[in-house]
Amino acid sequence: MAPINVGLMGYGFSTKCFHLPFIEPNQDLNIYAFLQRARAPVDTINMETGVHCTADYPHAKHYRTAESFFADPVIELVIICTNVETHAEFAEQALLAGKHVVVEKPFTVTSKEADRLIATAEKTGKVLTCFQNRRYDGDFRTISHLISKNVFGKITECEIHYDADSPEWVSKWDSPGLIAGEGMLYGLGSHTLDQALLLFGKPKTVTAFLRTLRGIPSETDDAFTVILQYDGNQKDLLVTIKTTIVSPMERQMKVFVRGTEGSFLKFDEDLQADQVMAGMLSTDASFGIENSSSYGLLSTVKEFDGKSQTFDNRSKKYIGKWPTMPGRYLSYYEDVVAAIRGEAELCVKPQQARDVIRLIELARESHNKGASVLWS
């Protein structure tokens, strides 16, 4: 079967770090075209890598306008890695041009935009999805596996963290006002809120606290705490999603789960992005494999795994470091290909991406009101 021709919009960090390294090895995908506004340089041979698509991918077509890009009938799959405020507009244009679409997170700025995109995708019959690559993080794959095995019994608490101590990139958020689509809720929160909804579903209420800790007066958040409360069979469940830029720790906390039968505590971020930036190929045998020093601590009332756990006389629990499952961003585009070809159900559904944006809106509403708000 012929590979799917891919057109990428944008040639910034996201395109080069999170997309191309996982598209290139996929024999079912062909890097066919780029949209990059900058004019192609005359001398591409001596140009530094990563500056212009024509130097790095001389075989690919180069477009400088969205109109000419979308008009190319050979492009089958569009990957949108442009500024957040353009996501909805470009995704709609791509769908109407008969293309399948992957949208970088955040999916859109508003849930109304997301609803419109979903309706357009249904009308055109094209695949529409969001780049939720963090579902393929080793830590998330691990916690999903443990939950599926009912290791924790009835889960009463879950904390999902994505902290970054004094990251340089928040300095670009220098506006005193709230810029649509900017801030940590839309940034790192797009990943962790998605993970929470995927694990536990939509909550009954949302309570949020948003802060600005980068030393300037601004309504654009760089730290947040979102608390999800449930009802029915999950009435005793409390899910907390946190991000902060003030976290001077040796190792950043990642996930904490506890329930009636056990608990799991893990530190350290997934290492795939760092491996890419260090020059490792995503096909390397050690790619996505975490060092044992970063394994999470699994404690259970009953023995779950005799290889990794031993009985602790003091706590009367079975304790041990549980091996982190390999992180594998390669799987994201494998799943997209399977969905486009009708071989499997779409993994990251557009409705799920829409719900993340709705949760961000409700978190902002809760913060502004100083009260919990119902899911709506």
Side-chain angles (χ1 to χ4, degrees):
M1 190 177 295
I4 297 166
N5 289 315
V6 177
L8 295 107
M9 303 186 72
Y11 200 63
F13 176 76
S14 174
T15 300
K16 290 174 284 190
C17 181
F18 291 109
H19 293 270
L20 288 170
F22 308 101
I23 294 173
E24 287 183 10
N26 193 319
Q27 295 183 354
D28 292 313
L29 295 173
N30 174 47
I31 299 172
Y32 170 80
F34 289 91
L35 172 67
Q36 185 176 7
R37 303 288 189 186
R39 188 184 302 276
V42 175
D43 181 12
T44 58
I45 296 177
N46 298 312
M47 175 170 281
E48 182 182 351
T49 301
V51 175
H52 203 278
C53 64
T54 56
D56 300 335
Y57 297 89
H59 66 281
K61 290 205 170 195
H62 172 223
Y63 291 102
R64 297 185 63 202
T65 68
E67 292 76 18
S68 58
F69 177 86
F70 291 130
D72 189 332
V74 179
I75 298 175
E76 299 171 90
L77 170 62
V78 169
I79 300 171
I80 300 172
C81 301
T82 54
N83 292 335
V84 176
E85 66 272 15
T86 66
H87 284 187
E89 176 188 358
F90 284 157
E92 185 171 31
Q93 290 179 19
L95 290 167
L96 292 174
K99 323 292 188 186
H100 302 290
V101 179
V102 170
V103 186
E104 243 297 358
K105 62 83 191 167
F107 188 46
T108 56
V109 175
T110 69
S111 58
K112 287 185 178 179
E113 290 177 337
D115 289 336
R116 187 173 70 247
L117 288 184
I118 292 170
T120 303
E122 291 175 351
K123 180 180 177 181
T124 60
K126 295 299 177 180
V127 167
L128 170 67
T129 186
C130 183
F131 189 64
Q132 289 291 1
N133 62 311
R134 294 292 177 176
R135 293 188 183 189
Y136 302 83
D137 279 359
D139 51 80
F140 185 70
R141 294 187 68 209
T142 300
I143 200 65
S144 299
H145 172 75
L146 293 174
I147 290 175
S148 73
K149 297 299 183 182
N150 197 34
V151 172
F152 308 113
K154 181 180 180 180
I155 298 175
T156 56
E157 283 186 88
C158 178
E159 287 187 25
I160 302 174
H161 289 246
Y162 196 164
D163 300 319
D165 188 39
S166 304
E168 295 181 1
W169 44 267
V170 299
S171 61
K172 67 181 180 180
W173 298 336
D174 54 3
S175 171
L178 178 63
I179 305 299
E182 285 194 357
M184 281 298 191
L185 266 176
Y186 279 100
L188 302 186
S190 288
H191 290 305
T192 47
L193 295 174
D194 174 69
Q195 291 177 346
L197 291 175
L198 193 64
L199 289 176
F200 303 109
K202 299 175 188 176
K204 178 182 180 180
T205 63
V206 178
T207 310
F209 307 89
L210 312 183
R211 294 179 292 168
T212 302
L213 304 178
R214 60 189 180 278
I216 65 169
S218 176
E219 293 183 45
T220 299
D221 61 283
D222 55 33
F224 66 81
T225 298
V226 177
I227 300 170
L228 309 181
Q229 292 176 281
Y230 293 77
D231 56 4
N233 294 333
Q234 294 176 297
K235 64 181 179 63
D236 297 323
L237 172 63
L238 193 69
V239 178
T240 305
I241 306 102
K242 295 177 69 72
T243 284
T244 181
I245 63 166
V246 178
S247 189
M249 300 172 65
E250 178 187 9
R251 300 168 62 196
Q252 299 299 330
M253 185 174 172
K254 188 57 185 174
V255 64
F256 174 50
V257 181
R258 58 184 166 190
T260 54
E261 298 296 322
S263 66
F264 183 73
L265 174 63
K266 188 183 184 312
F267 292 80
D268 298 333
E269 275 297 324
D270 182 90
L271 71 170
Q272 293 177 84
D274 287 341
Q275 288 177 326
V276 167
M277 287 185 281
M280 182 183 290
L281 296 177
S282 59
T283 52
D284 191 292
S286 60
F287 190 84
I289 306 298
E290 194 170 73
N291 188 284
S292 60
S293 62
S294 293
Y295 291 173
L297 184 66
L298 178 64
S299 307
T300 56
V301 175
K302 299 176 182 178
E303 184 181 79
F304 175 66
D305 179 57
K307 293 181 180 179
S308 62
Q309 291 181 299
T310 57
F311 185 75
D312 177 59
N313 283 311
R314 184 181 61 82
S315 64
K316 306 302 180 186
K317 302 293 188 297
Y318 291 88
I319 311 294
K321 288 292 194 76
W322 179 259
T324 305
M325 297 179 69
R328 197 172 189 279
Y329 293 163
L330 281 168
S331 296
Y332 176 84
Y333 277 108
E334 292 171 354
D335 291 343
V336 169
V337 168
I340 289 174
R341 292 181 170 171
E343 299 168 352
E345 188 177 353
L346 184 63
C347 184
V348 182
K349 299 174 178 59
Q351 183 63 44
Q352 294 173 330
R354 180 263 182 204
D355 288 342
V356 171
I357 301 304
R358 183 57 186 149
L359 180 50
I360 291 172
E361 292 173 335
L362 291 171
R364 173 64 63 174
E365 179 183 343
S366 168
H367 171 76
N368 291 340
K369 290 181 175 179
S372 299
V373 296
L374 291 171
W375 180 276
S376 59

